[in-house]
């Protein structure tokens, strides 16, 4: 590590950090007042000039093997691609403005392109109002801010995933349409449906009619080419290692969901739409029941009931308007790179990172994640 990126480790009060006006890139922040009255701060060398009288430590504080126990009723997680002291001050001021207090702060990730700070917060918060305010602050400071109940910071037992634009970085129905020369026409309908501007069932039927005559032989060529969403494999592998059951709940097609399950990702269950072929081509008709937003939610709820799980052990992950019903079902409803309408209503939202960033919302730090993934 050269001098320009050397870390200065300081021991000082949390009030000194929030009252300072200095700027510096942030590597970590550990503040556990029930264990020690002073905070531990890791910043780029040179930033310590703003903290006169702070004790400078001889070496960086090692990352803890496990995240600290959550004892507060709320957690507010800052996920930043370029963390700095300004972001910490902004979050601290925001929490104070809600009439709440910071009970602890710990660093879940110290990666140079992903610093994750978890603020444990105590106070009477209106979840929806505070969540919306978090979205506005996140835009202002260039980070993701995720609010959740403190007791939801634990690994789930059941996780339901949308497929298109969530687990894969594509909309399969649009890929089929490109081959038949109507890609733009179908993509426009898909985009409007995902934004919540069109009824999903009606838009699905319309798109299937447009795809009438699509050759069945093309499916096997398309499936291997569908790109995974960044972080999808890491997240699903970690969930499998934790013993969490996973399901694809997709308004897309079973052929591609089953391909993902058998060839690409550790998925346990698939629920999606069936393609109807006759004489080797799509008929343009749909096979009921269509997996729309309401059915996604009911399927996830049924799986929880069949497994004897309370909804507090269930999470859902998606990006489009037809994911909104299931996102509001369990302990967490995580929208990944969501459409604007979805971002405004989803309980949790991650915009700047891949799917594996969800692991930090389960109360894990990088050391624990590495342990789950082995040599990865």
């Amino acid at each position: 590590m050269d001098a320009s990126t050397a870390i200065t480790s300081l021991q000082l009060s949390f009030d000194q950090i929030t009252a300072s006006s200095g700027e510096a890139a942030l590597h970590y922040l550990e503040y556990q007042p029930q264990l020690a009255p002073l905070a531990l701060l890791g910043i780029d060398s040179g930033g310590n000039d703003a903290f006169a009288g702070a004790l400078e430590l001889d070496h960086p504080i090692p990352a803890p093997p496990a995240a600290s126990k959550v004892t507060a009723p709320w957690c507010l997680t800052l996920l930043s691609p370029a963390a700095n002291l300004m972001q910490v001050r902004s979050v601290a001021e925001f929490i104070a403005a809600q009439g709440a207090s910071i009970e602890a702060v710990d660093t879940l990730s110290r990666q140079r392109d992903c610093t994750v700070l978890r603020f444990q917060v105590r106070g009477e918060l209106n979840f929806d109002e505070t969540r919306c305010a978090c979205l506005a602050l996140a835009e202002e400071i260039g980070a993701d801010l995720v609010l959740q109940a403190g007791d939801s910071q634990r690994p789930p037992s059941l996780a339901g995933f949308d497929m298109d634009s969530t687990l894969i970085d594509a909309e399969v129905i649009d890929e089929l349409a490109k081959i038949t020369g109507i890609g733009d026409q179908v993509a426009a309908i898909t985009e409007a449906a995902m934004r919540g501007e069109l009824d999903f069932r009606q838009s699905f039927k319309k798109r299937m009619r447009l795809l009438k005559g699509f050759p069945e032989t093309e499916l096997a060529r398309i499936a291997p080419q569908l790109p995974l969403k960044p972080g999808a494999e890491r997240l699903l592998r970690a969930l499998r290692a934790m013993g969490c059951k996973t399901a694809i709940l997709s308004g897309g097609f079973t052929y591609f969901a089953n391909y993902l399950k058998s060839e690409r990702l550790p998925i346990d269950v698939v629920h999606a739409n069936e393609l109807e072929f006759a004489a080797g081509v799509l008929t343009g008709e749909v096979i009921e029941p269509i997996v729309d937003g309401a059915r996604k939610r009911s399927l996830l709820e049924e799986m929880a009931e069949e497994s004897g799980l309370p909804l507090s052990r269930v999470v859902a992950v998606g990006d489009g308007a037809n994911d909104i019903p299931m996102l509001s079902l369990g302990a967490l409803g995580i929208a990944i790179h969501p459409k604007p309408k979805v971002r405004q209503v989803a309980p949790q939202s991650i915009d700047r990172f891949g799917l594996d960033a969800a692991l930090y919302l389960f109360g894990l730090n990088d050391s624990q994640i590495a342990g789950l993934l082995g040599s990865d």
Side-chain angles (χ1 to χ4, degrees):
M1 182 178 291
D2 60 37
S4 64
T5 58
I7 299 174
T8 295
S9 294
L10 303 175
Q11 190 175 38
L12 69 175
S13 73
F14 190 73
D15 286 344
Q16 282 181 277
I17 298 171
T18 56
S20 73
S21 58
E23 293 301 341
L26 176 71
H27 296 262
Y28 58 83
L29 172 59
E30 301 288 340
Y31 176 54
Q32 307 286 339
Q34 72 276 23
L35 300 178
L38 298 179
L40 298 171
L41 181 70
I43 54 178
D44 275 3
S45 292
N48 56 320
D49 293 342
F51 301 107
L55 175 63
E56 186 171 336
L57 304 179
D58 293 335
H59 52 79
I61 302 302
S68 60
K69 183 179 179 181
V70 173
T71 58
W74 302 100
C75 285
L76 181 57
T77 303
L78 168 75
L79 303 97
S80 176
N84 56 58
L85 291 174
M86 178 276 292
Q87 292 175 337
V88 172
R89 289 195 297 269
S90 296
V91 173
E93 291 168 4
F94 173 81
I95 292 169
Q98 311 309 308
S101 61
I102 296 171
E103 191 165 283
V105 187
D106 57 335
T107 303
L108 302 183
S109 177
R110 302 183 180 191
Q111 301 173 45
R112 291 296 290 175
D113 59 350
C114 179
T115 302
V116 181
L117 301 182
R118 182 181 63 184
F119 293 76
Q120 294 194 44
V121 178
R122 186 166 296 280
E124 297 294 328
L125 301 181
N126 179 293
F127 177 76
D128 284 333
E129 291 179 4
T130 309
R131 176 187 59 79
C132 289
C134 283
L135 294 178
L137 179 59
E139 286 298 309
E140 182 181 324
I141 66 176
D144 285 333
L145 280 175
V146 182
L147 180 67
Q148 64 188 109
D151 60 9
S152 69
Q153 274 262 326
R154 61 181 181 180
S157 297
L158 172 63
F161 290 87
D162 173 50
M163 179 175 69
D164 297 47
S165 295
T166 297
L167 290 177
I168 59 174
D169 208 4
E171 293 284 339
V172 171
I173 198 167
D174 296 351
E175 299 303 310
L176 304 187
K178 289 176 185 177
I179 293 174
T180 59
I182 55 170
D184 291 345
Q185 183 180 358
V186 170
I189 299 171
T190 301
E191 182 66 20
M194 293 302 100
R195 290 196 303 262
E197 298 168 2
L198 296 176
D199 174 75
F200 179 83
R201 289 179 59 85
Q202 295 307 313
S203 70
F204 182 72
K205 291 178 179 180
K206 181 177 182 179
R207 286 174 288 169
M208 291 307 299
R209 287 194 295 270
L210 290 170
L211 286 171
K212 182 178 180 179
F214 180 88
E216 186 174 7
T217 53
E218 288 292 316
L219 300 183
R221 184 177 69 84
I222 293 171
Q225 299 177 13
L226 295 173
L228 293 179
K229 201 79 164 178
E233 184 179 8
R234 279 172 54 86
L235 173 57
L236 270 296
R237 284 176 52 207
L239 288 171
R240 174 65 62 85
M242 289 186 283
C244 175
K245 184 176 182 179
T246 55
I248 289 178
L249 305 168
S250 174
F253 306 113
T254 53
Y255 181 93
F256 300 98
N258 283 324
Y259 179 87
L260 285 181
K261 178 178 179 293
S262 63
E263 303 293 335
R264 308 288 300 277
L265 296 171
I267 294 287
D268 296 306
V269 180
V270 163
H271 291 286
N273 293 305
E274 296 283 350
L275 290 167
E276 183 179 80
F277 290 94
V281 298
L282 275 177
T283 66
E285 299 300 319
V286 301
I287 298 175
E288 297 284 357
I290 295 172
V291 180
D292 59 5
R295 182 153 176 75
K296 288 186 180 190
R297 179 186 172 99
S298 65
L299 286 166
L300 189 57
E301 198 166 16
E302 288 170 14
M303 282 189 286
E305 185 175 349
E306 289 169 0
S307 300
L309 294 172
L311 294 179
S312 60
R313 304 295 296 175
V314 177
V315 302
V317 183
D319 74 294
N322 62 327
D323 297 316
I324 291 173
M326 73 172 181
L327 291 178
S328 62
L329 177 65
L332 295 174
I334 306 168
I336 295 287
H337 307 162
K339 309 301 185 289
K341 177 181 177 179
V342 184
R343 184 174 185 267
Q344 290 302 315
V345 301
Q348 286 78 35
S349 180
I350 295 174
D351 294 273
R352 292 170 173 81
F353 298 94
L355 273 165
D356 52 337
L359 291 167
Y360 302 119
L361 306 187
F362 305 153
L364 304 174
N365 66 10
D366 278 341
S367 296
Q368 291 168 295
I369 295 169
L372 290 169
L373 296 176
S375 60
D376 183 53

